[in-house]
Amino acid sequence: MANPVLPSSGVLSPLGLDAVRISPGFWGDRVALNREVTIAHCREWEEREGWIGNFRGEGPRRGREFSDSEIYKLLEAMAWADHPDLPELAETVARVQEGDGYINTRWSGSRYTDLEWGHELYCYGHLIQAGVARLRMHGEDRLTRVATRAADHVCRRFMEGTETCGHPVIEMALVELYRVTGVERYLEMARRFVERRGLPALADIPFGRGYFQDDVPVRQAQVFRGHVVRALYLASGVVDVAVETGDEELLKAVEAQWERTVARRTHLTGGMGSRHQDESFGEDYELPPDRAYNETCASIASIMLAHRLLLATGDVRYADLTERTLYNMLATGVALDGRSFFYANPLQVRVPAVPHDGVNHAAEGGLRSPWFDVSCCPNNVARTLASLPAYLATSGADGVRIHQYTPGEISHGDLRLRVETGYPWDGTVTVRVLEGGAGRISLRVPAWASSATLAYQEAAASPDTRETRAVAPGYADVEREWRAGDALVLELPMEPRWTYPDRRIDALRGCVTVERGPLVYCAESVGDEPPLAEVAVRPGAPLSEHARGEVVELETEAVLGASPAGPWPYRDRPHGWNGGPAATLRLIPYHRWGNRGPATMRVWLPVAD
């Protein structure tokens, strides 16, 4: 099956790219743009920066020590997209591989001398993931042989001892290679890497071993901590190992860590990471909007982990977080033209960024950049969008579950379904049977949808004869003998709603925001538009909708102007907003901010007294 994650057991089985076809719509348009524009954009910049040239031996090596991994992520994107440029790029990579399977343009000649920061095993992980994608989409070829030889080298070199890599990813890559080949040593190597971490297996560093998740063994950890991408990649590999070895204790440990992290260390958008210095989570309820790091790669890692937990357990909460992260992080990470990207995703930008057309050396700022010194995010976006259909639906012994809504077709057994929807702008989701058979169709009702309904309409019957019932958040199931023309119509409430933060989040106290459906909204100010530092809102005020094309924007009443500034920003009474002029505040979906040029932005809005 054409699927990036294909466990041998679990409550649910994923339906891959061979069973889910996306049509034009919110995600279909982005998947097409990714194949037609973003993949070529990444290839162009990797050539321009000399990272591909490293494999050709063109002059002094260029790029960071882990830049090889970006070519491998691009190869994975090409594999899932069935891109015609893959064979030529794979051949370029293959020429560097040494006789024993070792491959790295930075460390050849001084192998494994810096496991904390060298990223050699990390690079192998992305190479192996590209090889797995190619095996499942195409079959064996030059790229798959390179990846397999690299994995065999890793097993020979690291099976004994206590060493591991400072940046996880090799774990889930090896498990997936085991799943596609059946070679037991790949699973065993992944298991040993998981069990070594936290013994400790790595040297201490100024950030502390928690940065590497090497402070305590995986089974003893209470929450995800340290560098966010590392933590979530490791947790994904841990779930894979737990599922394939039948280790329920290990799986339960990750579930508990995920639950606490989501409850205390996750931003409203689904983003994770509050500290810039070490790209880490921060402590419980440390969720500042303006200093939120929320790396785009971290959101992709979160989707990977939630998807694995969903398959293992069938618990709807993992699909709920996936939806939130898809619409408010993945969709935000790439511009509408497919050619520029966010690395960090703050929830407030105080000063408009300075435009530039080249490499962003800071990996920050409030403007998408065409490339970065560390360009993990563009390639990660490309491979995720290329494989996105595999995250939308699953099968079980009793039928099909649809977790994420976008126009397209889904096939499983005798059933062939067509999904028709304008989601997330419109709340109507119609699942029409094209080819029938016996089974259950389950539709996810999001956690925010408190008043949803589900209607069954029999083929050729009048819409007036629909059987309609209220459905609660979770999964709405209908089981029957389906005939071509039968349909299920899910109606989700799309009224905009005010959202309040937990009072323990100090940085958000006294603020509110707005959501509509799965989308988080924000205020954006470009040019001469009202400065957002002078805006406050009254929660409970009406929220009106305005359609601009397919996009739904919102407006609400606001108060402009804080109290007069003085020589000292503190006083012996509350600093109020009363008396300012009334204004109308325009709100846009967070994923669309930053497409009009340099701007200020904020998701969380101060409450007027």
Side-chain angles (χ1 to χ4, degrees):
M1 290 178 64
N3 206 304
V5 184
L6 196 57
S8 62
S9 64
V11 174
L12 300 173
S13 298
L15 294 177
L17 279 69
D18 47 353
V20 181
R21 304 286 182 181
I22 295 183
S23 303
F26 187 95
W27 289 115
D29 294 348
R30 285 163 171 77
V31 169
L33 183 70
N34 182 64
R35 188 182 191 282
E36 295 162 8
V37 175
T38 303
I39 288 176
H41 175 90
C42 291
R43 170 79 187 262
E44 175 188 342
W45 274 93
E46 289 174 9
E47 289 282 12
R48 185 185 305 188
E49 293 299 299
W51 300 354
I52 295 176
N54 292 334
F55 288 87
R56 302 190 188 104
E58 297 173 354
R61 188 186 183 279
R62 297 171 63 185
R64 293 289 299 273
E65 62 274 16
F66 42 74
S67 64
D68 289 4
S69 69
E70 306 313 335
I71 284 76
Y72 302 152
K73 288 179 204 160
L74 178 59
L75 281 167
E76 183 185 349
M78 288 178 169
W80 294 126
D82 196 21
H83 201 280
D85 290 352
L86 184 147
E88 182 268 330
L89 183 56
E91 185 61 35
T92 298
V93 166
R95 295 191 191 109
V96 175
Q97 191 165 38
E98 299 179 31
D100 64 351
Y102 182 89
I103 179 170
N104 192 282
T105 68
R106 167 63 179 84
W107 296 104
S108 181
S110 54
R111 301 178 180 186
Y112 309 121
T113 54
D114 188 358
L115 287 170
E116 287 74 26
W117 300 106
H119 290 79
E120 285 158 285
L121 291 171
Y122 170 80
C123 290
Y124 289 141
H126 284 299
L127 173 61
I128 293 166
Q129 288 177 322
V132 168
R134 186 64 169 169
L135 273 170
R136 288 182 172 155
M137 288 293 292
H138 174 81
E140 187 176 338
D141 68 357
R142 185 76 154 135
L143 175 59
T144 68
R145 289 190 290 272
V146 169
T148 302
R149 289 183 63 214
D152 291 338
H153 165 78
V154 170
C155 292
R156 288 193 301 271
R157 171 62 177 76
F158 290 95
M159 191 66 76
E160 304 304 325
T162 61
E163 295 172 308
T164 191
C165 184
H167 199 311
V169 84
I170 185 69
E171 299 84 354
M172 58 174 157
L174 285 169
V175 175
E176 216 60 53
L177 187 60
Y178 156 74
R179 287 167 172 168
V180 76
T181 65
V183 177
E184 292 280 349
R185 64 176 173 273
Y186 302 143
L187 175 60
E188 178 60 17
M189 186 72 262
R191 187 191 69 78
R192 294 189 186 192
F193 279 143
V194 166
E195 297 293 358
R196 289 171 189 173
R197 197 169 293 269
L199 294 180
L202 297 160
D204 203 359
I205 60 170
F207 294 143
R209 285 197 177 94
Y211 175 86
F212 298 130
Q213 298 75 50
D214 195 39
D215 50 339
V216 295
V218 169
R219 297 172 190 272
Q220 297 176 21
Q222 301 299 308
V223 68
F224 299 145
R225 71 262 176 244
H227 186 274
V228 179
V229 179
R230 284 172 165 83
L232 296 175
Y233 277 179
L234 175 62
S236 296
V238 173
V239 172
D240 288 337
V241 167
V243 167
E244 295 306 322
T245 61
D247 193 333
E248 287 293 326
E249 177 193 47
L250 189 58
L251 179 61
K252 291 296 183 185
V254 179
E255 287 187 82
Q257 294 161 21
W258 181 93
E259 185 172 352
R260 177 169 171 174
T261 301
V262 170
R264 305 183 186 194
R265 300 186 176 188
T266 302
H267 292 266
L268 181 68
T269 55
M272 296 183 182
S274 293
R275 295 184 180 176
H276 288 234
Q277 176 179 269
D278 52 354
E279 299 183 313
S280 70
F281 284 94
E283 299 300 328
D284 289 354
Y285 303 108
E286 183 185 340
L287 297 166
D290 50 346
R291 293 300 292 166
Y293 197 64
N294 285 349
E295 185 184 341
T296 297
C297 282
S299 68
I300 290 169
S302 175
I303 291 166
M304 290 177 176
L305 174 58
H307 183 60
R308 284 166 166 79
L309 289 169
L310 173 68
L311 297 177
T313 69
D315 193 324
V316 69
R317 61 183 177 167
Y318 301 119
D320 282 336
L321 185 69
T322 297
E323 176 183 71
R324 179 173 293 277
T325 311
L326 283 171
Y327 282 103
N328 300 295
M329 288 297 300
L330 179 62
T332 308
V334 57
L336 297 176
D337 66 1
R339 292 185 173 89
S340 59
F341 311 86
F342 280 140
Y343 191 108
N345 293 272
L347 278 69
Q348 180 177 358
V349 174
R350 298 176 184 272
V351 179
V354 177
H356 62 88
D357 297 324
V359 175
N360 183 342
H361 301 289
E364 298 184 24
L367 200 65
R368 293 177 182 85
S369 300
W371 207 246
F372 305 90
D373 281 338
V374 178
S375 269
C376 47
C377 297
N379 297 290
N380 232 347
V381 167
R383 70 177 182 139
T384 304
L385 286 173
S387 60
L388 186 65
Y391 291 85
L392 305 184
T394 60
S395 66
D398 56 356
V400 174
R401 284 195 196 184
I402 304 177
H403 306 280
Q404 311 298 338
Y405 300 120
T406 193
E409 292 190 6
I410 299 170
S411 300
H412 174 62
D414 295 333
L415 281 177
R416 187 161 67 92
L417 311 174
R418 183 170 65 226
V419 179
E420 303 165 355
T421 184
Y423 197 77
W425 315 115
D426 181 87
T428 301
V429 180
T430 300
V431 179
R432 202 172 302 281
V433 178
L434 302 180
E435 296 178 12
R440 175 181 297 176
I441 299 175
S442 300
L443 306 183
R444 183 178 62 90
V445 181
W448 50 263
S450 58
S451 58
T453 64
L454 180 67
Y456 164 70
Q457 185 173 343
E458 192 173 346
S462 166
D464 296 336
T465 64
R466 287 179 179 177
E467 302 172 12
T468 301
R469 60 185 170 96
V471 287
Y475 288 103
D477 306 323
V478 179
E479 186 169 5
R480 59 178 296 110
E481 182 74 35
W482 299 96
R483 296 185 301 164
D486 288 352
L488 293 176
V489 181
L490 178 65
E491 295 284 357
L492 299 173
M494 301 300 284
E495 296 82 8
R497 59 193 185 275
W498 293 98
T499 299
Y500 300 80
D502 190 301
R503 288 187 177 274
R504 288 168 289 188
I505 306 174
D506 300 285
L508 301 181
R509 202 170 291 136
C511 293
V512 294
T513 191
V514 174
E515 296 180 88
R516 181 185 183 273
L519 302 179
V520 172
Y521 277 69
C522 68
E524 180 187 56
S525 180
V526 177
D528 296 331
E529 294 174 356
L532 298 182
E534 304 296 320
V535 172
V537 296
R538 292 192 173 95
L543 290 159
S544 57
E545 301 183 8
H546 298 274
R548 287 178 169 82
E550 291 186 347
V551 180
V552 176
E553 296 183 356
L554 304 175
E555 288 182 353
T556 190
E557 176 188 341
V559 176
L560 289 180
S563 300
W568 184 240
Y570 311 99
R571 59 180 61 191
D572 59 1
R573 65 183 68 86
H575 191 125
W577 291 78
N578 288 334
T584 298
L585 183 64
R586 174 173 172 257
L587 303 172
I588 63 171
Y590 175 73
H591 73 257
R592 295 185 70 87
W593 96 270
N595 281 284
R596 297 190 295 153
T600 59
M601 178 276 297
R602 64 186 306 161
V603 169
W604 292 99
L605 305 165
V607 174
D609 292 341

